[in-house]
Amino acid sequence: MLTLLTIAGGVALILFAARFLRKGLDRLFGNRLEGLMQRMAHTRLRAFVAGVSVAVVAPSSTTVSILAVQTVNSGQLPPQRVLPIMLGADIGLTVLVMLIAMRLDLVAPAMIFMGVILYQFTSPTWSRGLGQIVLSLGFIFMGIATISQGAVGVVGNPDVAELLQIAARHPAALMLISVVLAVVLQSSTATIGLAMGVAGAMVSGTGPGGVVGLGQTDALTLAIPIVLGANVGMGITMLGLGWGQPDTRRLSLANLAFKVTTALILFFLITPVSNLVAGMNLTLDARIATLHTGFNLVKACLFLPLITPVFRLVSKITPTPDGPATFGPKYINNQRIDGVALALGQARQELNRVSAIVRSMLDDAWIALGDRNIKLAHAVQDRDDQVDELDTAIKHFLTRVVGHDADPQDSANVMAQLRYLNELESMGDIIDRNIAELAIKRAREAISFSEIGWSELDGFYRMVAENILIAETAFSTQNRLLARQLLRHKQKVNEEEHRLRDRHFERLRLGEARSLESSSVHLDIITHLKRLNSSVAHV
């Protein structure tokens, strides 16, 4: 029982390290990895190299999957351009498995010591992120050693050895178990690390008492289906992440099709593959790592030239749903949050979407006001329900981000996004309950503005609409110059508001009939546009 708990503890340590590694990568690189992918992916070959590069510096399959899904959702790259990135990333991710195969157990304590120093006793975000990465790698190496230590006691048992021999005769079942394990653990590294630990203990002489009847060839025969299953399992994990949108669903299905097809080809060639790898002058762990790398190299060679036809086939299998798409969050993923920087990037894209909806509401409400279009005014009011729905989803998402080991700077960024979201929601309410209502009132009561009065209102609306766009751009790009420009515009809007009121009062004093008729609505419009501008200036 204690031996099994030792193995379980080693697996748990690797799982914790994998998640801690993702957080460290997030802290060290933030959203820069997504930008790197987008800048390099101009051609298929460059996209492939970009995937390798990103995965080497960020050796986390989950992080790469989230980046790929987020890139497609944001519209920065089409799925066909992201697929070669994924093929390259799968090769880059094997670097971590190769490091594990080097069995750096002896340096793991030193890595943990250095990681703790950087993570606990430094303040810059980049050094804390680097400390998390070093600490995570130390935990992974220690986890593999723990699994090997526990596995020696397990596989030394004759009954267990017999079970392993039976498993070796049923590789299909073993591969399916590996698929399930990789999906449950959500880490191909942990699954393959477990295979390394158990396989290493099978080889005679690796521990007290040796192992009954299992040598390197038997160990490789067991390891191959586990490696194949681990790769397929991560494809299923990505499918879960990308299922929500048609484009990311097609991306994930094509990626899974690459993995399943390659796994089936190598599965039916398991004997020659085993003989080929067994003939290499490498340690058993290095052979398993070579199997993992070889799988992804074969996959890239097979499918890099076939990306377009495979994607077309997947698109036919998963056509765009008929009818209007179900409205909801497009960029945020409430099921998992794997890093504050990634989460903030997703939330910022969703906030830009909310801002775009609010801007469209104001534009259409103004058209409805000018054309006396009641139907359009009601459509604007219905759109406020979308703002409210996204407001609830983003708030829930961001409040979860704050609780995930956030640095003070990250917490400040989360609070800034929440405040901006609150202003956008208030602006939606102003447009819905006030400006759209005034448009309906004007249509029903046939209220007319004087030509000069409407011209002044229209100019004031354009000033406010421009400020909303400046605010959205300033928030999205964190541009200080635009923020200062926005504050200057706020003062101009305040001055213009006073001027417009005075001019309207002057027309009333002169007894202009249409100014008298529309006075209440005219002044209300000025008030509500100024309120919109005040909310915008809080950015």
Side-chain angles (χ1 to χ4, degrees):
M1 183 64 181
L2 182 60
T3 304
L4 291 175
L5 286 175
T6 300
I7 296 175
V11 173
L13 191 57
I14 294 174
L15 283 177
F16 172 78
R19 182 169 181 79
F20 203 59
L21 175 65
R22 292 198 294 270
K23 288 180 175 290
L25 293 168
D26 177 73
R27 185 169 270 136
L28 183 60
F29 295 109
N31 290 321
R32 290 191 290 274
L33 291 176
E34 185 179 2
L36 174 65
M37 286 199 310
Q38 294 166 6
R39 287 193 300 274
M40 292 183 66
H42 296 300
T43 65
R44 184 174 298 183
L45 183 59
R46 289 187 66 181
F48 177 78
V49 173
V52 175
S53 305
V54 168
V56 167
V57 300
S60 166
S61 54
T62 303
T63 295
V64 172
S65 296
I66 291 173
L67 284 173
V69 170
Q70 184 172 314
T71 299
V72 173
N73 271 338
S74 65
Q76 298 295 328
L77 290 175
Q80 300 96 312
R81 191 70 59 80
V82 178
L83 278 172
I85 293 176
M86 295 303 301
L87 289 172
D90 286 338
I91 294 174
L93 289 169
T94 64
V95 171
L96 179 58
V97 176
M98 291 177 183
L99 289 174
I100 293 173
M102 294 171 65
R103 283 303 177 103
L104 302 175
D105 311 356
L106 295 178
V107 301
M111 295 180 72
I112 292 173
F113 174 75
M114 290 301 300
V116 168
I117 294 295
L118 288 170
Y119 179 62
Q120 289 290 107
F121 301 106
T122 62
S123 55
T125 300
W126 69 267
S127 63
R128 296 196 71 208
L130 181 62
Q132 279 187 266
I133 294 171
V134 174
L135 192 57
S136 300
L137 293 175
F139 285 154
I140 289 174
F141 299 143
M142 187 169 288
I144 297 296
T146 303
I147 291 172
S148 299
Q149 179 184 350
V152 168
V154 172
V155 300
N157 185 301
D159 294 332
V160 175
E162 185 177 352
L163 286 174
L164 292 173
Q165 288 174 331
I166 293 172
R169 294 194 294 271
H170 297 86
L174 195 58
M175 187 168 78
L176 288 175
I177 292 171
S178 177
V179 169
V180 173
L181 191 62
V183 172
V184 171
L185 299 180
Q186 295 195 356
S187 171
S188 58
T189 302
T191 306
I192 296 173
L194 180 61
M196 284 183 178
V198 175
M202 293 177 191
V203 181
S204 179
T206 59
V211 177
V212 180
L214 289 173
Q216 293 235 5
T217 303
D218 296 312
L220 274 175
T221 304
L222 279 169
I224 291 174
I226 293 176
V227 170
L228 299 181
N231 281 279
V232 173
M234 289 315 299
I236 294 174
T237 297
M238 182 178 175
L239 182 62
L241 289 171
W243 189 258
Q245 300 293 330
D247 279 344
T248 52
R249 188 182 310 146
R250 291 167 186 149
L251 168 71
S252 304
L253 281 172
N255 179 62
L256 180 60
F258 295 162
K259 291 178 181 289
V260 170
T261 304
T262 307
L264 290 175
I265 291 172
L266 295 180
F267 179 79
F268 288 111
L269 297 174
I270 195 167
T271 300
V273 169
S274 180
N275 293 335
L276 175 66
V277 178
M280 296 179 179
N281 187 24
L282 298 170
T283 64
L284 178 59
D285 288 344
R287 289 172 180 167
I288 295 174
T290 301
L291 282 170
H292 181 48
T293 304
F295 172 92
N296 289 289
L297 284 171
V298 168
K299 175 162 63 72
C301 291
L302 284 175
F303 291 106
L304 193 58
L306 300 175
I307 284 175
T308 300
V310 171
F311 188 78
R312 285 176 181 167
L313 177 62
V314 170
S315 297
K316 289 181 179 179
I317 297 172
T318 58
T320 301
D322 294 330
T326 303
F327 186 83
K330 185 176 179 182
Y331 303 110
I332 59 177
N333 185 343
N334 270 310
Q335 276 64 53
R336 64 180 308 134
I337 297 174
D338 280 292
V340 177
L342 277 175
L344 287 172
Q346 294 169 354
R348 185 177 293 112
Q349 289 176 319
E350 205 71 65
L351 281 165
N352 288 340
R353 187 178 172 210
V354 177
S355 181
I357 294 173
V358 170
R359 283 192 291 108
S360 72
M361 287 175 63
L362 178 59
D363 292 341
D364 287 347
W366 197 255
I367 292 172
L369 183 67
D371 296 344
R372 297 185 177 92
N373 190 329
I374 294 178
K375 184 177 179 181
L376 182 57
H378 283 308
V380 169
Q381 292 178 322
D382 291 340
R383 223 173 301 164
D384 187 54
D385 294 337
Q386 296 180 346
V387 173
D388 292 339
E389 182 177 343
L390 293 180
D391 173 70
T392 301
I394 298 171
K395 280 178 181 173
H396 178 65
F397 180 76
L398 287 176
T399 50
R400 289 180 62 212
V401 170
V402 176
H404 280 68
D405 191 28
D407 286 336
Q409 183 59 49
D410 290 330
S411 296
N413 289 334
V414 168
M415 295 307 295
Q417 290 198 354
L418 285 170
R419 286 193 291 268
Y420 182 43
L421 176 63
N422 184 64
E423 297 300 341
L424 288 173
E425 197 273 336
S426 297
M427 290 162 64
D429 287 342
I430 292 170
I431 298 168
D432 169 23
R433 300 171 187 172
N434 301 117
I435 298 178
E437 282 293 336
L438 288 174
I440 295 170
K441 179 180 179 180
R442 185 192 180 199
R444 286 176 176 168
E445 299 180 12
I447 297 172
S448 297
F449 295 104
S450 65
E451 288 185 12
I452 190 170
W454 176 252
S455 176
E456 289 174 351
L457 288 177
D458 191 59
F460 195 50
Y461 148 74
R462 294 183 187 281
M463 289 181 67
V464 174
E466 181 185 2
N467 283 354
I468 294 175
L469 184 58
I470 293 173
E472 180 182 317
T473 308
F475 185 82
S476 180
T477 61
Q478 299 294 295
N479 189 308
R480 290 177 180 268
L481 293 177
L482 283 176
R484 293 193 184 102
Q485 180 183 349
L486 185 64
L487 292 177
R488 290 195 299 271
H489 281 205
K490 178 188 178 184
Q491 183 60 34
K492 290 181 181 179
V493 167
N494 289 341
E495 292 171 359
E496 181 68 6
E497 183 248 350
H498 290 303
R499 190 181 72 85
L500 292 182
R501 287 183 186 277
D502 289 344
R503 288 174 64 90
H504 178 71
F505 292 145
E506 179 64 19
R507 288 193 295 273
L508 291 179
R509 188 181 67 80
L510 295 175
E512 292 188 14
R514 281 192 293 179
S515 294
L516 286 169
E517 176 189 353
S518 62
S519 179
S520 175
V521 174
H522 187 106
L523 294 174
D524 283 346
I525 290 172
I526 292 175
T527 297
H528 299 315
L529 287 175
K530 183 185 177 184
R531 288 175 61 201
L532 285 175
N533 194 72
S534 296
S535 292
V536 164
H538 291 161
V539 175

